[in-house]
Amino acid sequence: SQTIHQWPATLVQPVGSPLSLECTVEGTSNPNLYWYRQAAGRGLQLLFYSVGIGQISSEVPQNLSASRPQDRQFILSSKKLLLSDSGFYLCAWTQGPLYEQYFGPGTRLTVT
Amino acid sequence: AQSVTQLGSHVSVSEGALVLLRCNYSSSVPPYLFWYVQYPNQGLQLLLKYTTGATLVKGINGFEAEFKKSETSFHLTKPSAHMSDAAEYFCAVSDLEEGGGNKLTFGTGTQLKVEL
């Protein structure tokens, strides 16, 4: 069966510091991968998605970037964090012919 | 572009009472619709989905939803609420992209509170 991992689970970082969040999927190949952010009291905002290695689509221009160096690995990065980057970051995967997405446990990021 | 509206950001019910969470969607193509549940500090878990076929779909934990094309709705129901149902619920519609992006558009969520 497929599983999705995210780490770290929680992170507290100062403003201006770099960020790297990692997501990996097991038990499948060539998945579509997604990064979402969930700010307090708000819904899910799609940040990036990827349909293959090295293929990244950005949904919202911002301080973040994403990379997919391996088939089942998706990384969210920032060179300099802002206070507004705080939130709950969720990674998800799907694979044709599925339409639903399956989510990881999330990373709680607090920028201080 | 697709959109999803969830009426009521907070819903409170008594234990044993009917749960009704409302979702209306806008889509230019036949939609694929989903309900997810999120417990505090956890990821989203798929409750149920509608793609094609029977318009009444059953999901996990006793939840079900009915796709009504004429009303552009996909409301979530459960006959009898349990304390463990307290969580946030998200409705979503699929937005199939050329190139296989398969994005989901989410509603803003409904926080369900279950009281004794």
Side-chain angles (χ1 to χ4, degrees):
Chain A
S1 64
Q2 299 88 0
T3 54
I4 179 169
H5 304 279
Q6 288 186 243
W7 62 87
T10 60
L11 191 59
V12 180
Q13 292 284 95
V15 168
S17 63
L19 173 73
S20 181
L21 303 181
E22 188 165 343
C23 169
T24 58
V25 181
E26 295 177 354
T28 186
S29 59
N30 196 30
N32 290 347
L33 296 171
Y34 308 81
W35 277 113
Y36 291 88
R37 177 169 59 201
Q38 191 175 23
R42 302 174 71 174
L44 282 82
Q45 180 185 34
L46 178 62
L47 302 175
F48 302 95
Y49 68 94
S50 171
V51 300
I53 295 174
Q55 300 177 64
I56 308 295
S57 295
S58 175
E59 289 295 296
V60 182
Q62 59 203 327
N63 188 41
L64 302 170
S65 62
S67 62
R68 185 169 176 175
Q70 300 180 44
D71 182 44
R72 289 167 289 181
Q73 184 185 33
F74 204 23
I75 297 173
L76 183 70
S77 303
S78 174
K79 292 182 179 178
K80 289 185 178 181
L81 283 169
L82 306 172
L83 284 174
S84 58
D85 292 324
S86 292
F88 193 50
Y89 288 82
L90 290 160
C91 181
W93 74 273
T94 191
Q95 188 174 40
L98 299 177
Y99 299 100
E100 66 270 25
Q101 293 176 15
Y102 293 94
F103 285 79
T107 295
R108 174 75 58 190
L109 172 66
T110 303
V111 182
T112 60
Chain B
Q2 280 80 349
S3 66
V4 176
T5 301
Q6 290 184 241
L7 291 176
S9 59
H10 292 80
V11 170
S12 183
V13 300
S14 299
E15 191 175 34
L18 171 72
V19 176
L20 170 61
L21 304 182
R22 299 179 185 274
C23 173
N24 289 89
Y25 69 90
S26 171
S27 176
S28 57
V29 297
Y32 297 143
L33 296 158
F34 310 87
W35 276 101
Y36 285 84
V37 61
Q38 185 181 30
Y39 299 98
N41 293 311
Q42 295 186 26
L44 276 69
Q45 180 182 8
L46 180 67
L47 272 180
L48 49 80
K49 64 180 179 182
Y50 169 78
T51 54
T52 58
T55 56
L56 181 64
V57 293
K58 296 185 184 297
I60 61 173
N61 301 339
F63 284 93
E64 61 184 35
E66 187 171 10
F67 170 59
K68 291 188 177 181
K69 183 178 179 180
S70 61
E71 298 177 10
T72 61
S73 68
F74 191 56
H75 301 330
L76 181 71
T77 59
K78 182 174 180 177
S80 177
H82 191 272
M83 295 298 289
S84 61
D85 295 326
E88 189 156 24
Y89 292 80
F90 292 92
C91 181
V93 61
S94 185
D95 182 0
L96 296 180
E97 290 267 300
E98 279 191 32
N102 189 25
K103 298 186 292 183
L104 292 182
T105 299
F106 286 86
T108 52
T110 297
Q111 186 71 45
L112 176 66
K113 182 178 179 182
V114 182
E115 299 174 318
L116 287 172

Tab-separated table of all heavy atoms in Angstrom, chain A residues 62-103:
chain	number	residue	atom	x	y	z
A	62	GLN	N	5.437	33.754	-4.908
A	62	GLN	CA	5.690	34.004	-3.497
A	62	GLN	C	7.137	33.723	-3.182
A	62	GLN	O	7.960	33.551	-4.061
A	62	GLN	CB	4.799	33.088	-2.668
A	62	GLN	CG	5.040	31.630	-2.972
A	62	GLN	CD	3.828	30.804	-2.610
A	62	GLN	OE1	3.105	31.087	-1.673
A	62	GLN	NE2	3.591	29.764	-3.376
A	63	ASN	N	7.377	33.623	-1.914
A	63	ASN	CA	8.718	33.477	-1.379
A	63	ASN	C	9.206	32.042	-1.393
A	63	ASN	O	10.297	31.759	-0.909
A	63	ASN	CB	8.683	34.007	0.065
A	63	ASN	CG	10.036	34.087	0.684
A	63	ASN	OD1	11.001	34.490	0.050
A	63	ASN	ND2	10.137	33.661	1.936
A	64	LEU	N	8.431	31.114	-1.930
A	64	LEU	CA	8.751	29.709	-1.834
A	64	LEU	C	9.077	29.124	-3.202
A	64	LEU	O	8.683	29.666	-4.241
A	64	LEU	CB	7.560	28.944	-1.236
A	64	LEU	CG	7.096	29.404	0.135
A	64	LEU	CD1	5.781	28.731	0.497
A	64	LEU	CD2	8.154	29.093	1.187
A	65	SER	N	9.764	28.007	-3.200
A	65	SER	CA	10.042	27.268	-4.425
A	65	SER	C	9.922	25.784	-4.135
A	65	SER	O	9.897	25.363	-2.972
A	65	SER	CB	11.450	27.578	-4.957
A	65	SER	OG	12.431	27.188	-4.015
A	66	ALA	N	9.800	24.993	-5.182
A	66	ALA	CA	9.677	23.546	-5.014
A	66	ALA	C	10.580	22.843	-6.006
A	66	ALA	O	10.900	23.385	-7.063
A	66	ALA	CB	8.224	23.111	-5.214
A	67	SER	N	10.984	21.643	-5.641
A	67	SER	CA	11.798	20.827	-6.534
A	67	SER	C	11.400	19.374	-6.391
A	67	SER	O	10.874	18.951	-5.354
A	67	SER	CB	13.288	21.002	-6.219
A	67	SER	OG	13.579	20.582	-4.897
A	68	ARG	N	11.649	18.627	-7.449
A	68	ARG	CA	11.365	17.189	-7.442
A	68	ARG	C	12.590	16.485	-8.007
A	68	ARG	O	12.669	16.200	-9.198
A	68	ARG	CB	10.126	16.885	-8.269
A	68	ARG	CG	9.705	15.419	-8.205
A	68	ARG	CD	8.347	15.233	-8.818
A	68	ARG	NE	7.966	13.825	-8.853
A	68	ARG	CZ	6.781	13.402	-9.259
A	68	ARG	NH1	5.851	14.273	-9.643
A	68	ARG	NH2	6.504	12.117	-9.262
A	69	PRO	N	13.536	16.203	-7.142
A	69	PRO	CA	14.782	15.597	-7.619
A	69	PRO	C	14.671	14.111	-7.927
A	69	PRO	O	15.469	13.587	-8.711
A	69	PRO	CB	15.749	15.843	-6.451
A	69	PRO	CG	14.848	15.963	-5.255
A	69	PRO	CD	13.579	16.589	-5.742
A	70	GLN	N	13.709	13.451	-7.326
A	70	GLN	CA	13.483	12.027	-7.575
A	70	GLN	C	11.986	11.793	-7.772
A	70	GLN	O	11.163	12.637	-7.406
A	70	GLN	CB	13.988	11.184	-6.404
A	70	GLN	CG	15.467	11.334	-6.112
A	70	GLN	CD	15.905	10.468	-4.947
A	70	GLN	OE1	15.532	9.304	-4.844
A	70	GLN	NE2	16.711	11.037	-4.069
A	71	ASP	N	11.657	10.645	-8.312
A	71	ASP	CA	10.273	10.362	-8.682
A	71	ASP	C	9.306	10.526	-7.527
A	71	ASP	O	8.190	11.027	-7.697
A	71	ASP	CB	10.181	8.928	-9.235
A	71	ASP	CG	8.779	8.584	-9.683
A	71	ASP	OD1	8.138	9.432	-10.348
A	71	ASP	OD2	8.304	7.477	-9.378
A	72	ARG	N	9.700	10.100	-6.336
A	72	ARG	CA	8.782	10.097	-5.214
A	72	ARG	C	9.198	11.066	-4.102
A	72	ARG	O	8.822	10.892	-2.951
A	72	ARG	CB	8.668	8.670	-4.662
A	72	ARG	CG	7.909	7.746	-5.596
A	72	ARG	CD	8.062	6.293	-5.221
A	72	ARG	NE	9.409	5.783	-5.499
A	72	ARG	CZ	9.773	4.544	-5.272
A	72	ARG	NH1	8.934	3.683	-4.736
A	72	ARG	NH2	11.002	4.147	-5.561
A	73	GLN	N	9.956	12.087	-4.468
A	73	GLN	CA	10.419	13.064	-3.500
A	73	GLN	C	10.067	14.468	-3.972
A	73	GLN	O	10.319	14.842	-5.123
A	73	GLN	CB	11.941	12.945	-3.322
A	73	GLN	CG	12.521	13.845	-2.263
A	73	GLN	CD	14.033	13.774	-2.215
A	73	GLN	OE1	14.695	13.583	-3.231
A	73	GLN	NE2	14.603	13.925	-1.035
A	74	PHE	N	9.497	15.244	-3.049
A	74	PHE	CA	9.051	16.598	-3.377
A	74	PHE	C	9.529	17.495	-2.250
A	74	PHE	O	9.254	17.224	-1.079
A	74	PHE	CB	7.525	16.616	-3.499
A	74	PHE	CG	6.969	17.723	-4.345
A	74	PHE	CD1	7.707	18.362	-5.316
A	74	PHE	CD2	5.639	18.103	-4.184
A	74	PHE	CE1	7.159	19.357	-6.115
A	74	PHE	CE2	5.080	19.096	-4.973
A	74	PHE	CZ	5.828	19.722	-5.931
A	75	ILE	N	10.236	18.569	-2.593
A	75	ILE	CA	10.846	19.420	-1.590
A	75	ILE	C	10.331	20.844	-1.744
A	75	ILE	O	10.239	21.367	-2.861
A	75	ILE	CB	12.384	19.388	-1.716
A	75	ILE	CG1	12.896	17.974	-1.442
A	75	ILE	CG2	13.026	20.384	-0.765
A	75	ILE	CD1	14.366	17.787	-1.709
A	76	LEU	N	9.989	21.437	-0.614
A	76	LEU	CA	9.556	22.835	-0.572
A	76	LEU	C	10.654	23.642	0.105
A	76	LEU	O	11.125	23.267	1.177
A	76	LEU	CB	8.249	22.964	0.206
A	76	LEU	CG	7.632	24.356	0.271
A	76	LEU	CD1	7.097	24.764	-1.097
A	76	LEU	CD2	6.496	24.386	1.294
A	77	SER	N	11.044	24.748	-0.523
A	77	SER	CA	12.182	25.507	-0.020
A	77	SER	C	11.897	26.998	-0.008
A	77	SER	O	11.005	27.488	-0.693
A	77	SER	CB	13.408	25.269	-0.913
A	77	SER	OG	13.721	23.903	-0.999
A	78	SER	N	12.715	27.672	0.786
A	78	SER	CA	12.750	29.122	0.771
A	78	SER	C	14.165	29.563	1.117
A	78	SER	O	14.827	28.942	1.938
A	78	SER	CB	11.757	29.706	1.763
A	78	SER	OG	11.904	31.125	1.836
A	79	LYS	N	14.601	30.648	0.520
A	79	LYS	CA	15.925	31.167	0.847
A	79	LYS	C	15.868	32.054	2.080
A	79	LYS	O	16.779	32.071	2.895
A	79	LYS	CB	16.485	31.948	-0.338
A	79	LYS	CG	16.819	31.085	-1.536
A	79	LYS	CD	17.422	31.916	-2.658
A	79	LYS	CE	17.773	31.023	-3.849
A	79	LYS	NZ	18.321	31.818	-4.989
A	80	LYS	N	14.748	32.799	2.217
A	80	LYS	CA	14.587	33.701	3.355
A	80	LYS	C	13.131	33.710	3.782
A	80	LYS	O	12.269	34.245	3.080
A	80	LYS	CB	15.017	35.128	3.004
A	80	LYS	CG	16.515	35.316	2.827
A	80	LYS	CD	16.853	36.799	2.609
A	80	LYS	CE	18.351	37.004	2.484
A	80	LYS	NZ	18.708	38.435	2.305
A	81	LEU	N	12.842	33.164	4.934
A	81	LEU	CA	11.476	33.070	5.419
A	81	LEU	C	10.925	34.423	5.853
A	81	LEU	O	11.649	35.274	6.385
A	81	LEU	CB	11.396	32.104	6.593
A	81	LEU	CG	11.433	30.624	6.235
A	81	LEU	CD1	11.624	29.785	7.492
A	81	LEU	CD2	10.169	30.208	5.500
A	82	LEU	N	9.626	34.587	5.623
A	82	LEU	CA	8.878	35.748	6.082
A	82	LEU	C	7.918	35.308	7.176
A	82	LEU	O	7.549	34.128	7.256
A	82	LEU	CB	8.085	36.361	4.928
A	82	LEU	CG	8.868	36.735	3.665
A	82	LEU	CD1	7.890	37.150	2.566
A	82	LEU	CD2	9.869	37.824	3.950
A	83	LEU	N	7.455	36.259	7.980
A	83	LEU	CA	6.459	35.929	9.002
A	83	LEU	C	5.221	35.297	8.374
A	83	LEU	O	4.618	34.382	8.930
A	83	LEU	CB	6.062	37.180	9.786
A	83	LEU	CG	7.063	37.686	10.821
A	83	LEU	CD1	6.584	39.016	11.409
A	83	LEU	CD2	7.275	36.667	11.923
A	84	SER	N	4.862	35.794	7.200
A	84	SER	CA	3.652	35.315	6.522
A	84	SER	C	3.781	33.885	5.991
A	84	SER	O	2.811	33.309	5.512
A	84	SER	CB	3.292	36.247	5.362
A	84	SER	OG	4.374	36.328	4.456
A	85	ASP	N	4.977	33.308	6.076
A	85	ASP	CA	5.155	31.921	5.647
A	85	ASP	C	4.707	30.925	6.711
A	85	ASP	O	4.655	29.712	6.449
A	85	ASP	CB	6.621	31.658	5.286
A	85	ASP	CG	7.059	32.400	4.036
A	85	ASP	OD1	6.228	32.526	3.109
A	85	ASP	OD2	8.210	32.864	3.991
A	86	SER	N	4.392	31.406	7.891
A	86	SER	CA	3.906	30.507	8.940
A	86	SER	C	2.628	29.813	8.494
A	86	SER	O	1.787	30.406	7.814
A	86	SER	CB	3.618	31.299	10.220
A	86	SER	OG	4.810	31.797	10.786
A	87	GLY	N	2.479	28.552	8.893
A	87	GLY	CA	1.273	27.809	8.537
A	87	GLY	C	1.514	26.323	8.625
A	87	GLY	O	2.566	25.859	9.071
A	88	PHE	N	0.526	25.598	8.179
A	88	PHE	CA	0.568	24.131	8.176
A	88	PHE	C	0.747	23.721	6.721
A	88	PHE	O	-0.082	24.036	5.874
A	88	PHE	CB	-0.736	23.610	8.764
A	88	PHE	CG	-0.731	22.154	9.112
A	88	PHE	CD1	0.282	21.593	9.863
A	88	PHE	CD2	-1.773	21.333	8.715
A	88	PHE	CE1	0.274	20.240	10.201
A	88	PHE	CE2	-1.795	19.977	9.051
A	88	PHE	CZ	-0.769	19.438	9.789
A	89	TYR	N	1.830	23.028	6.440
A	89	TYR	CA	2.168	22.660	5.066
A	89	TYR	C	1.852	21.188	4.840
A	89	TYR	O	2.312	20.323	5.579
A	89	TYR	CB	3.637	22.947	4.774
A	89	TYR	CG	3.917	24.424	4.653
A	89	TYR	CD1	4.100	25.219	5.781
A	89	TYR	CD2	3.948	25.043	3.400
A	89	TYR	CE1	4.317	26.574	5.677
A	89	TYR	CE2	4.180	26.403	3.284
A	89	TYR	CZ	4.361	27.161	4.427
A	89	TYR	OH	4.575	28.514	4.309
A	90	LEU	N	1.084	20.959	3.809
A	90	LEU	CA	0.629	19.604	3.509
A	90	LEU	C	1.112	19.175	2.132
A	90	LEU	O	1.027	19.936	1.171
A	90	LEU	CB	-0.899	19.541	3.546
A	90	LEU	CG	-1.525	19.682	4.929
A	90	LEU	CD1	-2.978	20.097	4.813
A	90	LEU	CD2	-1.425	18.363	5.685
A	91	CYS	N	1.598	17.967	2.071
A	91	CYS	CA	1.980	17.357	0.806
A	91	CYS	C	0.913	16.325	0.443
A	91	CYS	O	0.318	15.698	1.335
A	91	CYS	CB	3.335	16.684	0.953
A	91	CYS	SG	3.976	15.898	-0.540
A	92	ALA	N	0.650	16.170	-0.825
A	92	ALA	CA	-0.355	15.197	-1.265
A	92	ALA	C	0.098	14.530	-2.555
A	92	ALA	O	0.937	15.065	-3.287
A	92	ALA	CB	-1.711	15.876	-1.472
A	93	TRP	N	-0.464	13.366	-2.830
A	93	TRP	CA	-0.156	12.663	-4.070
A	93	TRP	C	-1.424	12.109	-4.677
A	93	TRP	O	-2.432	11.889	-4.023
A	93	TRP	CB	0.851	11.532	-3.825
A	93	TRP	CG	0.279	10.342	-3.129
A	93	TRP	CD1	0.175	10.150	-1.787
A	93	TRP	CD2	-0.282	9.170	-3.739
A	93	TRP	NE1	-0.426	8.946	-1.520
A	93	TRP	CE2	-0.716	8.312	-2.700
A	93	TRP	CE3	-0.456	8.758	-5.059
A	93	TRP	CZ2	-1.298	7.079	-2.942
A	93	TRP	CZ3	-1.057	7.525	-5.302
A	93	TRP	CH2	-1.466	6.703	-4.240
A	94	THR	N	-1.366	11.923	-5.988
A	94	THR	CA	-2.392	11.186	-6.689
A	94	THR	C	-1.741	10.533	-7.899
A	94	THR	O	-0.571	10.759	-8.187
A	94	THR	CB	-3.570	12.081	-7.115
A	94	THR	OG1	-4.653	11.245	-7.560
A	94	THR	CG2	-3.185	13.016	-8.261
A	95	GLN	N	-2.520	9.688	-8.547
A	95	GLN	CA	-1.965	8.990	-9.705
A	95	GLN	C	-3.105	8.555	-10.598
A	95	GLN	O	-4.097	8.012	-10.100
A	95	GLN	CB	-1.176	7.768	-9.240
A	95	GLN	CG	-0.383	7.061	-10.322
A	95	GLN	CD	0.465	5.954	-9.732
A	95	GLN	OE1	0.029	5.227	-8.842
A	95	GLN	NE2	1.684	5.818	-10.210
A	96	GLY	N	-2.975	8.830	-11.880
A	96	GLY	CA	-4.000	8.388	-12.806
A	96	GLY	C	-4.198	6.896	-12.715
A	96	GLY	O	-3.235	6.161	-12.625
A	97	PRO	N	-5.425	6.341	-12.743
A	97	PRO	CA	-6.681	7.038	-13.012
A	97	PRO	C	-7.400	7.587	-11.780
A	97	PRO	O	-8.568	7.921	-11.848
A	97	PRO	CB	-7.527	5.919	-13.636
A	97	PRO	CG	-7.073	4.695	-12.899
A	97	PRO	CD	-5.604	4.897	-12.649
A	98	LEU	N	-6.700	7.685	-10.657
A	98	LEU	CA	-7.338	8.272	-9.483
A	98	LEU	C	-7.605	9.753	-9.716
A	98	LEU	O	-6.881	10.418	-10.446
A	98	LEU	CB	-6.429	8.110	-8.263
A	98	LEU	CG	-6.077	6.701	-7.828
A	98	LEU	CD1	-5.107	6.752	-6.660
A	98	LEU	CD2	-7.318	5.918	-7.469
A	99	TYR	N	-8.589	10.280	-9.052
A	99	TYR	CA	-8.823	11.716	-9.070
A	99	TYR	C	-8.624	12.326	-7.687
A	99	TYR	O	-8.281	13.488	-7.560
A	99	TYR	CB	-10.236	12.013	-9.563
A	99	TYR	CG	-10.457	11.522	-10.968
A	99	TYR	CD1	-11.116	10.327	-11.214
A	99	TYR	CD2	-9.974	12.232	-12.052
A	99	TYR	CE1	-11.299	9.857	-12.500
A	99	TYR	CE2	-10.149	11.777	-13.343
A	99	TYR	CZ	-10.810	10.591	-13.559
A	99	TYR	OH	-10.982	10.135	-14.832
A	100	GLU	N	-8.839	11.510	-6.654
A	100	GLU	CA	-8.661	12.032	-5.315
A	100	GLU	C	-7.183	12.132	-4.971
A	100	GLU	O	-6.344	11.435	-5.536
A	100	GLU	CB	-9.373	11.135	-4.291
A	100	GLU	CG	-8.792	9.730	-4.163
A	100	GLU	CD	-9.431	8.739	-5.112
A	100	GLU	OE1	-9.960	9.163	-6.163
A	100	GLU	OE2	-9.387	7.532	-4.809
A	101	GLN	N	-6.889	13.011	-4.035
A	101	GLN	CA	-5.528	13.164	-3.548
A	101	GLN	C	-5.431	12.605	-2.134
A	101	GLN	O	-6.395	12.647	-1.372
A	101	GLN	CB	-5.111	14.640	-3.555
A	101	GLN	CG	-5.005	15.205	-4.955
A	101	GLN	CD	-4.677	16.683	-4.975
A	101	GLN	OE1	-4.257	17.257	-3.970
A	101	GLN	NE2	-4.848	17.310	-6.132
A	102	TYR	N	-4.254	12.095	-1.820
A	102	TYR	CA	-3.989	11.549	-0.495
A	102	TYR	C	-2.914	12.384	0.176
A	102	TYR	O	-1.879	12.685	-0.432
A	102	TYR	CB	-3.570	10.080	-0.606
A	102	TYR	CG	-4.704	9.217	-1.101
A	102	TYR	CD1	-4.846	8.933	-2.451
A	102	TYR	CD2	-5.664	8.735	-0.213
A	102	TYR	CE1	-5.910	8.179	-2.913
A	102	TYR	CE2	-6.724	7.969	-0.664
A	102	TYR	CZ	-6.841	7.703	-2.018
A	102	TYR	OH	-7.914	6.960	-2.460
A	103	PHE	N	-3.187	12.738	1.420
A	103	PHE	CA	-2.376	13.734	2.096
A	103	PHE	C	-1.433	13.125	3.118
A	103	PHE	O	-1.738	12.111	3.749
A	103	PHE	CB	-3.295	14.742	2.809
A	103	PHE	CG	-3.945	15.699	1.868
A	103	PHE	CD1	-5.044	15.333	1.125
A	103	PHE	CD2	-3.439	16.985	1.716
A	103	PHE	CE1	-5.641	16.216	0.230
A	103	PHE	CE2	-4.027	17.880	0.834
A	103	PHE	CZ	-5.126	17.496	0.092
